[in-house]
Amino acid sequence: MNTVGYGEFKKGWPIVLAAFLGVGLGLSPLPFYTIGLLAPELAREFGWGIGQVFFGITVMTLATLVAAPLTGYLAGRYGTRPVALVSLLLFSLSFMSFALGDGSLTMYYLTWVGIAVLGAGTLPITWTRGVNAWFEERKGLALGLTLTGTGLFGVIAKPYTAWLIAGFGWRGAYIGLGLLPLLIALPVAYFLFRNVDGDPQQRGSARAEAAGLTFAQTLRDWRFWLLAGALIPISFALGGPIPNMENILRTNGFERSQILGLTALIGLSALTGRLVGGWLIDRFWAPGVALVILCLPGISCWLIANGQLSYTTALLSIVLIGFAVGVEYDLLAFLVARYFGMRSYTQTYALLYCCFAIGTGFGPAAFGWSFDKTGSYATVLTAAGIALVLSAFCLLGLGRYRNFETR
């Protein structure tokens, strides 16, 4: 393998490091990985149901669907760096504002809207634009390293949140979590995330983007709608259990120390899935890889739904779910490139991401509501397992990769 491309990291590593921290401590992972520990505290304090607490994730997702395109426009008009820096600051402050909660659900949901709108500039789409500007030959590796930030901080966030709650209460936990992007990601990005829009290493990217379908052609392609239709139940089934996992384990009789140890594995297995999954889809037919990777957590959902979990079964189930979550983003990007090309990649990816976000946004709340109504997660977990298996088989219908010739 030609190793010349690795020389890009000699100058580009500061961009990767800044983007790694920006993604890992941004809107995408931080609220999602911490709400499972904070939800019971809010429910006890204000008398809310678990479903009501988790509905905040749904509100955030819906707001993000509007805020993300606006952020992309601002980054194109004013530059990626200022948008990312301002968004890190505002996301930090808005996340800490949860500590001011007074029991009003309306204000609670408005705070979720606020972190989505103000923190949209911390999403991967902003940081990866800067990485793309610096890397060409090792673009995939650089992006992969950047996106591992979500998995790594998923591992760290849960025990850190538990420590904050134990020492400072849930209000102190929101303050402590909000300080992470302010004190770590923001200063690193300020000094290292530079020259990310006009670097001369961007040359050649226009040639790569010329091959493929136009956006209009993509929307007329049945493969697009097959993929979109499969993504919603997949993201629902994988996104629903993770924030609820603490409560799932608690209702199955696990002790607090065991719960913290097991749930911390979600981020670690997601990190592993991102790296291993990328390696697999580079070497084997991606829909076939997806079939295996998605069916296994489908079985996990069925095992958890049956109750009477042993520690070993819970550990295996969590690892399989986390691994599949780690593969999702890599798989989506890969399938878009292989079946629709790079000509309208950003538009196609953005629209499919909306489908992905719908499932992820409604999943946690639906799982919480199911528990509130039935006192158990069995019904929704069984449905999630079936959805994963059926959707995985649907992806096989995408068929062989397409060949796109660059004009």
Side-chain angles (χ1 to χ4, degrees):
M1 179 179 290
N2 181 11
T3 59
V4 175
Y6 291 104
E8 292 177 316
F9 284 94
K10 291 182 180 179
K11 292 185 176 180
W13 70 263
I15 303 296
V16 173
L17 176 59
F20 167 83
L21 293 172
V23 169
L25 296 175
L27 179 64
S28 180
L30 203 59
F32 190 75
Y33 279 110
T34 59
I35 192 173
L37 289 168
L38 290 162
E41 304 296 324
L42 294 173
R44 281 193 293 268
E45 179 82 11
F46 301 125
W48 298 341
I50 293 295
Q52 290 177 306
V53 178
F54 281 124
F55 187 67
I57 294 288
T58 305
V59 173
M60 181 188 74
T61 300
L62 294 175
T64 301
L65 295 180
V66 177
L70 176 60
T71 299
Y73 167 77
L74 293 174
R77 184 178 179 88
Y78 300 106
T80 304
R81 183 174 185 271
V83 170
L85 293 178
V86 171
S87 189
L88 273 174
L89 172 62
L90 296 179
F91 169 68
S92 175
L93 297 176
S94 59
F95 196 82
M96 286 191 283
S97 70
F98 275 118
L100 302 175
D102 60 358
S104 168
L105 268 176
T106 300
M107 290 305 300
Y108 173 70
Y109 294 143
L110 286 176
T111 304
W112 281 105
V113 173
I115 69 168
V117 173
L118 300 176
T122 68
L123 290 170
I125 190 171
T126 303
W127 300 104
T128 54
R129 180 177 176 180
V131 175
N132 273 316
W134 274 87
F135 292 84
E136 188 58 43
E137 292 187 40
R138 295 293 176 261
K139 190 187 296 288
L141 177 60
L143 290 171
L145 290 172
T146 297
L147 294 172
T148 57
T150 58
L152 181 60
F153 285 103
V155 175
I156 298 172
K158 286 180 179 293
Y160 176 62
T161 303
W163 176 77
L164 288 171
I165 292 173
F168 307 97
W170 65 267
R171 295 182 190 274
Y174 275 118
I175 299 295
L177 289 167
L179 286 173
L180 292 178
L182 182 65
L183 299 181
I184 299 176
L186 181 59
V188 172
Y190 179 82
F191 288 108
L192 300 184
F193 199 64
R194 293 180 175 275
N195 197 22
V196 292
D197 293 302
D199 191 84
Q201 293 189 56
Q202 292 181 88
R203 64 182 180 274
S205 58
R207 294 194 302 270
E209 292 178 353
L213 305 181
T214 65
F215 189 49
Q217 289 172 328
T218 297
L219 292 179
R220 292 195 296 268
D221 192 323
W222 61 268
R223 290 177 183 83
F224 173 85
W225 297 105
L226 175 64
L227 185 54
L231 279 175
I232 294 176
I234 288 172
S235 58
F236 174 91
L238 292 177
I242 292 178
N244 285 274
M245 192 57 69
E246 285 86 0
N247 201 41
I248 290 173
L249 295 174
R250 189 178 296 111
T251 57
N252 277 276
F254 286 84
E255 298 179 358
R256 182 175 178 84
S257 60
Q258 293 176 312
I259 293 173
L260 290 176
L262 286 169
T263 54
L265 292 173
I266 296 174
L268 182 60
S269 55
L271 174 63
T272 305
R274 191 171 302 283
L275 297 174
V276 176
W279 183 87
L280 288 172
I281 61 178
D282 270 340
R283 287 156 178 80
F284 304 101
W285 185 49
V289 173
L291 176 65
V292 176
I293 290 177
L294 293 176
C295 282
L296 290 176
I299 297 172
S300 297
C301 289
W302 180 80
L303 290 173
I304 298 173
N306 276 345
Q308 303 301 319
L309 277 178
S310 67
Y311 185 88
T312 302
T313 304
L315 185 150
L316 179 62
S317 299
I318 286 173
V319 167
L320 292 175
I321 291 173
F323 188 89
V325 168
V327 175
E328 282 180 316
Y329 285 114
D330 292 348
L331 181 66
L332 176 57
F334 189 90
L335 292 177
V336 170
R338 286 296 190 182
Y339 289 102
F340 310 108
M342 298 301 295
R343 187 174 181 181
S344 60
Y345 176 85
T346 53
Q347 299 99 311
T348 303
Y349 186 92
L351 192 53
L352 288 172
Y353 178 82
C354 289
C355 299
F356 177 85
I358 289 171
T360 304
F362 282 93
F367 272 67
W369 281 328
S370 179
F371 175 77
D372 288 339
K373 290 183 177 296
T374 66
S376 167
Y377 287 97
T379 301
V380 71
L381 278 168
T382 301
I386 295 172
L388 279 172
V389 174
L390 292 179
S391 299
F393 274 98
C394 285
L395 292 179
L396 298 181
L398 291 171
R400 303 169 72 176
Y401 296 147
R402 284 170 160 168
N403 292 320
F404 298 103
E405 295 183 2
T406 304
R407 293 180 181 179

